[in-house]
Amino acid sequence: MSATTNDTQRKSLFRIPSLFEIFFGRLANWIRQLVKWRKQGLLKRALQERQRRTMRMEVLEPRLLLSADLTAGAGWGTNLALTAVDATHVQLSDGANTTGSIAMTGDGIINISRATLGDVTGDTLNVNLASLGILTPGSLLDIKFTGGLQSLASQDLVELDNTGLFGFNFKVEADSAIRVNAGAQLTASSGHDITLAASESNSVLGIAGFNFLADATHATVTVLGDLSANNITLK
């Protein structure tokens, strides 16, 4: 195809408007009308009315439901206590040190652990059922304790004391033994459940397969007190 043919085709696609159409055609009349409306203030008022009616979306800051994390420092003692500060806050202490008041979140999970240099000690975590009875976590209170190394010489224990009545599911999970002490009374009312689950991992400082002194008999659940719930699960 020659260059002459291409030029002919391009010219056939477009028509140059006449002077009359440029100054008195439909587009020219429309531009003159817009200028008139602008001078009269009609365009400004129309724009303001449109902005007023436009739905505006407010940018919200992202909110993440994180669990309440309580960590006992490396220099803490070995007798730890979990208590409730009020309906939505808990704290961990050893008598001399404390995490301070930590807010619970929508998942109802409380993660409790020892600092890296402290997880080789044998700790006892006391769960005060009477204190936790004021909490309002929703449908579940799940206490997860990670004590660290369990060996013949160093073993952790989660013990439940006093009397607690809970209108939600109550759960304790630990990598150590769990014991409901004599005289303790744990009740999950209104058809709710109780779960006590102990499991031991053969790990040291979070590295799987390196705790050759692990002994599965450390992962036990002992009930010396009273449990009352719709379903009671001991693992």
Side-chain angles (χ1 to χ4, degrees), residues 78-92:
T78 58
N79 292 314
L80 310 175
L82 173 66
T83 56
V85 178
D86 54 37
T88 57
H89 293 75
V90 291
Q91 70 177 7
L92 183 69

PDB file of all heavy atoms in Angstrom, residues 78-92:
ATOM      1  N   THR A  78      10.297 -18.000  90.762  1.00  0.00           N
ATOM      2  CA  THR A  78       9.677 -19.168  90.132  1.00  0.00           C
ATOM      3  C   THR A  78       8.222 -19.361  90.525  1.00  0.00           C
ATOM      4  O   THR A  78       7.556 -20.238  89.984  1.00  0.00           O
ATOM      5  CB  THR A  78      10.461 -20.433  90.490  1.00  0.00           C
ATOM      6  OG1 THR A  78      10.504 -20.578  91.923  1.00  0.00           O
ATOM      7  CG2 THR A  78      11.875 -20.362  89.955  1.00  0.00           C
ATOM      8  N   ASN A  79       7.718 -18.554  91.471  1.00  0.00           N
ATOM      9  CA  ASN A  79       6.310 -18.643  91.867  1.00  0.00           C
ATOM     10  C   ASN A  79       5.544 -17.487  91.231  1.00  0.00           C
ATOM     11  O   ASN A  79       5.660 -16.334  91.658  1.00  0.00           O
ATOM     12  CB  ASN A  79       6.170 -18.605  93.392  1.00  0.00           C
ATOM     13  CG  ASN A  79       6.738 -19.841  94.056  1.00  0.00           C
ATOM     14  OD1 ASN A  79       6.478 -20.965  93.607  1.00  0.00           O
ATOM     15  ND2 ASN A  79       7.524 -19.661  95.099  1.00  0.00           N
ATOM     16  N   LEU A  80       4.766 -17.799  90.206  1.00  0.00           N
ATOM     17  CA  LEU A  80       4.048 -16.792  89.442  1.00  0.00           C
ATOM     18  C   LEU A  80       2.558 -16.851  89.765  1.00  0.00           C
ATOM     19  O   LEU A  80       2.029 -17.924  90.089  1.00  0.00           O
ATOM     20  CB  LEU A  80       4.251 -17.015  87.945  1.00  0.00           C
ATOM     21  CG  LEU A  80       5.701 -17.188  87.476  1.00  0.00           C
ATOM     22  CD1 LEU A  80       5.733 -17.516  85.984  1.00  0.00           C
ATOM     23  CD2 LEU A  80       6.522 -15.954  87.780  1.00  0.00           C
ATOM     24  N   ALA A  81       1.886 -15.707  89.666  1.00  0.00           N
ATOM     25  CA  ALA A  81       0.452 -15.647  89.958  1.00  0.00           C
ATOM     26  C   ALA A  81      -0.262 -14.870  88.865  1.00  0.00           C
ATOM     27  O   ALA A  81       0.157 -13.758  88.499  1.00  0.00           O
ATOM     28  CB  ALA A  81       0.205 -14.989  91.310  1.00  0.00           C
ATOM     29  N   LEU A  82      -1.355 -15.448  88.348  1.00  0.00           N
ATOM     30  CA  LEU A  82      -2.207 -14.782  87.366  1.00  0.00           C
ATOM     31  C   LEU A  82      -3.461 -14.292  88.073  1.00  0.00           C
ATOM     32  O   LEU A  82      -4.185 -15.081  88.699  1.00  0.00           O
ATOM     33  CB  LEU A  82      -2.590 -15.747  86.241  1.00  0.00           C
ATOM     34  CG  LEU A  82      -3.623 -15.223  85.237  1.00  0.00           C
ATOM     35  CD1 LEU A  82      -3.071 -14.050  84.432  1.00  0.00           C
ATOM     36  CD2 LEU A  82      -4.097 -16.340  84.304  1.00  0.00           C
ATOM     37  N   THR A  83      -3.730 -12.996  87.982  1.00  0.00           N
ATOM     38  CA  THR A  83      -4.915 -12.412  88.608  1.00  0.00           C
ATOM     39  C   THR A  83      -5.579 -11.431  87.649  1.00  0.00           C
ATOM     40  O   THR A  83      -4.955 -10.952  86.698  1.00  0.00           O
ATOM     41  CB  THR A  83      -4.557 -11.671  89.911  1.00  0.00           C
ATOM     42  OG1 THR A  83      -3.555 -10.681  89.635  1.00  0.00           O
ATOM     43  CG2 THR A  83      -4.030 -12.645  90.963  1.00  0.00           C
ATOM     44  N   ALA A  84      -6.841 -11.135  87.934  1.00  0.00           N
ATOM     45  CA  ALA A  84      -7.580 -10.140  87.167  1.00  0.00           C
ATOM     46  C   ALA A  84      -7.525  -8.808  87.895  1.00  0.00           C
ATOM     47  O   ALA A  84      -7.673  -8.747  89.118  1.00  0.00           O
ATOM     48  CB  ALA A  84      -9.020 -10.583  86.970  1.00  0.00           C
ATOM     49  N   VAL A  85      -7.304  -7.742  87.138  1.00  0.00           N
ATOM     50  CA  VAL A  85      -7.301  -6.387  87.691  1.00  0.00           C
ATOM     51  C   VAL A  85      -8.719  -5.829  87.702  1.00  0.00           C
ATOM     52  O   VAL A  85      -9.159  -5.223  88.680  1.00  0.00           O
ATOM     53  CB  VAL A  85      -6.365  -5.474  86.884  1.00  0.00           C
ATOM     54  CG1 VAL A  85      -6.390  -4.048  87.423  1.00  0.00           C
ATOM     55  CG2 VAL A  85      -4.948  -6.022  86.901  1.00  0.00           C
ATOM     56  N   ASP A  86      -9.437  -6.033  86.600  1.00  0.00           N
ATOM     57  CA  ASP A  86     -10.855  -5.663  86.495  1.00  0.00           C
ATOM     58  C   ASP A  86     -11.482  -6.574  85.442  1.00  0.00           C
ATOM     59  O   ASP A  86     -10.918  -7.618  85.106  1.00  0.00           O
ATOM     60  CB  ASP A  86     -11.029  -4.177  86.163  1.00  0.00           C
ATOM     61  CG  ASP A  86     -10.256  -3.755  84.917  1.00  0.00           C
ATOM     62  OD1 ASP A  86     -10.183  -4.561  83.960  1.00  0.00           O
ATOM     63  OD2 ASP A  86      -9.707  -2.642  84.890  1.00  0.00           O
ATOM     64  N   ALA A  87     -12.624  -6.183  84.901  1.00  0.00           N
ATOM     65  CA  ALA A  87     -13.362  -7.051  83.988  1.00  0.00           C
ATOM     66  C   ALA A  87     -12.647  -7.316  82.680  1.00  0.00           C
ATOM     67  O   ALA A  87     -12.935  -8.301  81.992  1.00  0.00           O
ATOM     68  CB  ALA A  87     -14.749  -6.466  83.713  1.00  0.00           C
ATOM     69  N   THR A  88     -11.681  -6.465  82.309  1.00  0.00           N
ATOM     70  CA  THR A  88     -11.037  -6.601  81.004  1.00  0.00           C
ATOM     71  C   THR A  88      -9.505  -6.585  81.064  1.00  0.00           C
ATOM     72  O   THR A  88      -8.866  -6.562  80.030  1.00  0.00           O
ATOM     73  CB  THR A  88     -11.499  -5.481  80.057  1.00  0.00           C
ATOM     74  OG1 THR A  88     -11.213  -4.207  80.663  1.00  0.00           O
ATOM     75  CG2 THR A  88     -12.995  -5.581  79.781  1.00  0.00           C
ATOM     76  N   HIS A  89      -8.924  -6.575  82.264  1.00  0.00           N
ATOM     77  CA  HIS A  89      -7.470  -6.495  82.399  1.00  0.00           C
ATOM     78  C   HIS A  89      -6.951  -7.573  83.346  1.00  0.00           C
ATOM     79  O   HIS A  89      -7.596  -7.900  84.348  1.00  0.00           O
ATOM     80  CB  HIS A  89      -7.029  -5.120  82.917  1.00  0.00           C
ATOM     81  CG  HIS A  89      -7.276  -4.004  81.957  1.00  0.00           C
ATOM     82  ND1 HIS A  89      -8.527  -3.486  81.718  1.00  0.00           N
ATOM     83  CD2 HIS A  89      -6.416  -3.302  81.150  1.00  0.00           C
ATOM     84  CE1 HIS A  89      -8.452  -2.515  80.832  1.00  0.00           C
ATOM     85  NE2 HIS A  89      -7.188  -2.391  80.465  1.00  0.00           N
ATOM     86  N   VAL A  90      -5.775  -8.119  83.006  1.00  0.00           N
ATOM     87  CA  VAL A  90      -5.128  -9.142  83.837  1.00  0.00           C
ATOM     88  C   VAL A  90      -3.674  -8.746  84.065  1.00  0.00           C
ATOM     89  O   VAL A  90      -3.136  -7.864  83.396  1.00  0.00           O
ATOM     90  CB  VAL A  90      -5.198 -10.530  83.161  1.00  0.00           C
ATOM     91  CG1 VAL A  90      -6.621 -11.051  83.120  1.00  0.00           C
ATOM     92  CG2 VAL A  90      -4.609 -10.473  81.751  1.00  0.00           C
ATOM     93  N   GLN A  91      -3.043  -9.432  85.018  1.00  0.00           N
ATOM     94  CA  GLN A  91      -1.630  -9.181  85.259  1.00  0.00           C
ATOM     95  C   GLN A  91      -0.955 -10.449  85.771  1.00  0.00           C
ATOM     96  O   GLN A  91      -1.603 -11.346  86.311  1.00  0.00           O
ATOM     97  CB  GLN A  91      -1.420  -8.044  86.260  1.00  0.00           C
ATOM     98  CG  GLN A  91      -1.814  -8.382  87.683  1.00  0.00           C
ATOM     99  CD  GLN A  91      -1.515  -7.243  88.649  1.00  0.00           C
ATOM    100  OE1 GLN A  91      -1.139  -6.146  88.247  1.00  0.00           O
ATOM    101  NE2 GLN A  91      -1.682  -7.504  89.942  1.00  0.00           N
ATOM    102  N   LEU A  92       0.357 -10.498  85.582  1.00  0.00           N
ATOM    103  CA  LEU A  92       1.191 -11.601  86.065  1.00  0.00           C
ATOM    104  C   LEU A  92       2.219 -11.019  87.021  1.00  0.00           C
ATOM    105  O   LEU A  92       2.801  -9.960  86.752  1.00  0.00           O
ATOM    106  CB  LEU A  92       1.883 -12.286  84.886  1.00  0.00           C
ATOM    107  CG  LEU A  92       2.742 -13.513  85.201  1.00  0.00           C
ATOM    108  CD1 LEU A  92       1.860 -14.677  85.647  1.00  0.00           C
ATOM    109  CD2 LEU A  92       3.572 -13.919  83.983  1.00  0.00           C
TER     110      LEU A  92
END
